Amino acid sequence: MPKLARPVITVVGGGFAGTALVLQLRRQPALAAAEIHIIEPREVPGPGLAYTARRPEYLLNVRSGGLSLYPEEPNHFADWLKTQPESAAGVPEFASRAAYGRYLRDELAKELATAAVHWHHTRAVAAPLLPDGRRAVHLADGTTIRSDAVVLALGNFPPPPPTGPDQCYLHHPGYHADPWAVGNLRRIGPDEDVLLIGSGLTAVDVLLALRQDGHRAPITVVARHGRWPSAHGPVTAAYPTFYPELAPETTVTGVVAVYKRHLKAAAAQGLDWRPVLDSLRPDLGRIWAAWPLAEQRRFLQHLASFWAVARHRSPPRNAEAVAALTAAGLVQLHIGTVREILPHGQQLRVGMRTHGLNTCWRTADHVISCAGPLLNYARITDPLVVSLRTAGDLTPDPLHLGLLTDAHGALLGADGGASPSLFTLGPSRRPAYFESTAVPELRQQAAALAAHMAQ
């Protein structure tokens, strides 16, 4: 970004990543005079999709002590939480996502109260390059912001439809493409049949929300790997890093072999697998980057689902609730994939393919998609993404994980060159890190990108 007396920076997206970046930009002395615009169409900027739902049963899946917005102030969120009503009887180990949304909103509101940061309650639809090297960020409300730098903090896009090509079910009142939509789950009757697609953290939240709302009927869950997220264990001493042993390994097999050796060493010390896995976290990006493309693809095909279950864990209370529902026969988990969904009057018929390659059919009043987000930027239909993709300003990666960038998050164009005016952070940077969704990684990305832009 060129050095100007009053640079203009536009951040597209007002969820966690965008909020964290704005706060870090404001902490850069070299950018004290910068004019910062944040584009966020939701009613309140800050929480984004992940932390908007006002349901106390939706818990954070990280302990409160690990969720500060600021890497240099690790206790910032925990200290804020102590002042909140839900901490009257003691600070919760796993706070609600709604509480974290208030935290993000409050921190961003301090900057919005200044003359330096401006919130636009709309969407960005295009950001073409101007002859002077700046970007014209066009908004849906007709506003144009001439920007020296544009940062895409777009978060996660909704999952693609689970089946195709016949997708007439998408408009059926019993199909729920977005379980987070306000009031969506509350229109499900207590005795209606429900089928969930996926068994990750979203599915856990949906199960608990339905039970909280008084749903009584058994719920069917269909998942490719048939595993629930692992539960967090008690806080234990950290396992020492063994990255020096991993650094020379350029294959998945080699990394797994080293990891298994340390699992045995930890077991001999009375430790379970969690601290061993967690010790990898600071070096995950380097481990991933050391693998050639074929090895990265092998990991995605054979181990990514195991990694997701072990790495992205449930609060113990949530895991216990799912286990109790399963034991009572109120949750039935099936291993397989949904191959077809057909409207059947007021209901939906769901064709499931099992490992035996047989297709069985179930009828449900409601089908809820709890699958993971769409990561393939070649398929994303957001107008801003489409316009930048058409112009050759962004490049989807070959593994369909996000966008190709340089080490600072600058977008690589169709010519392979790094843009001086277009950047990104958050899930879009999964090609570089693989893990690029959790607070500790994203706040570090925000701090590093702000420092780079200030240089």
Side-chain angles (χ1 to χ4, degrees):
M1 187 177 73
K3 287 194 173 182
L4 302 171
R6 186 169 174 78
V8 177
I9 302 171
T10 297
V11 180
V12 184
F16 178 86
T19 296
L21 178 61
V22 169
L23 297 176
Q24 289 294 337
L25 290 170
R26 291 288 292 148
R27 291 187 166 205
Q28 298 294 324
L31 295 175
E35 178 183 318
I36 301 172
H37 298 264
I38 185 166
I39 316 302
E40 174 52 61
R42 294 185 178 88
E43 291 301 318
V44 178
L49 175 64
Y51 309 112
T52 298
R54 298 176 181 175
R55 299 193 67 128
E57 63 270 22
Y58 289 173
L59 301 182
L60 296 162
N61 66 317
V62 176
R63 289 181 169 91
S64 301
L67 291 169
S68 169
L69 267 164
Y70 311 102
E72 66 276 19
E73 298 179 57
N75 296 320
H76 193 272
F77 172 62
D79 290 341
W80 176 90
L81 191 58
K82 292 175 184 176
T83 68
Q84 301 302 301
E86 52 262 71
S87 298
V91 177
E93 184 179 23
F94 292 89
S96 71
R97 292 221 299 272
Y100 197 64
R102 296 201 315 272
Y103 168 65
L104 299 176
R105 180 197 66 198
D106 289 356
E107 288 300 298
L108 183 59
K110 297 173 186 176
E111 299 303 335
L112 291 173
T114 71
V117 181
H118 310 272
W119 168 39
H120 300 265
H121 185 199
T122 184
R123 297 181 181 275
V125 296
L129 184 65
L130 297 173
D132 63 1
R134 304 174 87 191
R135 294 269 168 184
V137 182
H138 299 306
L139 307 184
D141 65 3
T143 304
T144 295
I145 306 169
R146 294 174 64 91
S147 307
D148 301 290
V150 178
V151 183
L152 307 184
L154 302 175
N156 284 316
F157 288 89
T163 70
D166 184 0
Q167 298 176 350
C168 56
Y169 64 89
L170 294 178
H171 305 290
H172 192 280
Y175 181 72
H176 304 254
D178 180 9
W180 309 115
V182 176
N184 201 352
L185 300 182
R186 290 200 165 104
R187 61 187 178 87
I188 297 175
D191 296 305
E192 292 184 309
D193 291 322
V194 175
L195 184 145
L196 308 186
I197 302 174
S199 63
L201 292 169
T202 297
V204 172
D205 283 342
V206 169
L207 284 176
L208 300 182
L210 288 172
R211 293 306 173 193
Q212 182 68 26
D213 291 345
H215 190 267
R216 298 185 291 255
I219 295 173
T220 300
V221 181
V222 183
R224 187 185 304 273
H225 53 69
R227 292 181 294 273
W228 295 108
S230 299
H232 279 283
V235 177
T236 61
Y239 189 81
T241 180
F242 50 97
Y243 178 70
E245 298 175 54
L246 295 170
E249 300 293 343
T250 58
T251 67
V252 175
T253 301
V255 169
V256 170
V258 174
Y259 174 67
K260 286 183 175 179
R261 287 203 303 270
H262 281 273
L263 282 182
K264 291 180 180 178
Q269 302 171 43
L271 299 174
D272 76 357
W273 57 270
R274 291 173 180 83
V276 183
L277 189 74
D278 293 344
S279 72
L280 300 174
R281 186 165 185 171
D283 303 300
L284 286 174
R286 293 194 289 178
I287 295 169
W288 172 258
W291 291 340
L293 190 66
E295 289 295 311
Q296 292 178 346
R297 184 177 286 111
R298 183 172 292 113
F299 175 83
L300 293 174
Q301 290 173 344
H302 300 293
L303 291 178
S305 63
F306 293 95
W307 171 262
V309 166
R311 166 70 181 81
H312 301 285
R313 301 169 204 154
S314 275
R317 190 173 86 188
N318 287 6
E320 291 165 4
V322 172
L325 290 170
T326 302
L330 294 174
V331 171
Q332 300 165 357
L333 179 58
H334 298 266
I335 301 174
T337 56
V338 172
R339 309 295 292 180
E340 197 166 4
I341 304 175
L342 300 174
H344 185 64
Q346 296 300 310
Q347 296 181 308
L348 291 162
R349 293 189 70 231
V350 181
M352 303 182 298
R353 179 72 58 86
T354 65
H355 283 315
L357 300 183
N358 297 316
T359 299
C360 62
W361 292 85
R362 296 186 73 93
T363 301
D365 298 301
H366 298 270
V367 175
I368 306 173
S369 176
C370 301
L374 176 61
L375 304 172
N376 184 359
Y377 271 72
R379 295 178 57 190
I380 289 170
T381 58
D382 175 83
L384 176 62
V385 172
V386 171
S387 68
L388 293 173
R389 188 172 64 218
T390 303
D393 289 332
L394 59 77
T395 306
D397 77 298
L399 296 178
H400 311 312
L401 295 176
L403 296 173
L404 294 181
T405 65
D406 73 0
H408 302 294
L411 296 187
L412 301 187
D415 61 358
S419 172
S421 58
L422 279 174
F423 301 85
T424 191
L425 79 165
S428 55
R429 292 187 70 181
R430 287 190 74 193
Y433 301 109
F434 180 65
E435 283 285 336
S436 190
T437 56
V439 166
E441 285 78 24
L442 298 195
R443 70 187 177 196
Q444 194 59 52
Q445 284 183 31
L449 180 53
H452 172 70
M453 297 176 75
Q455 291 176 358

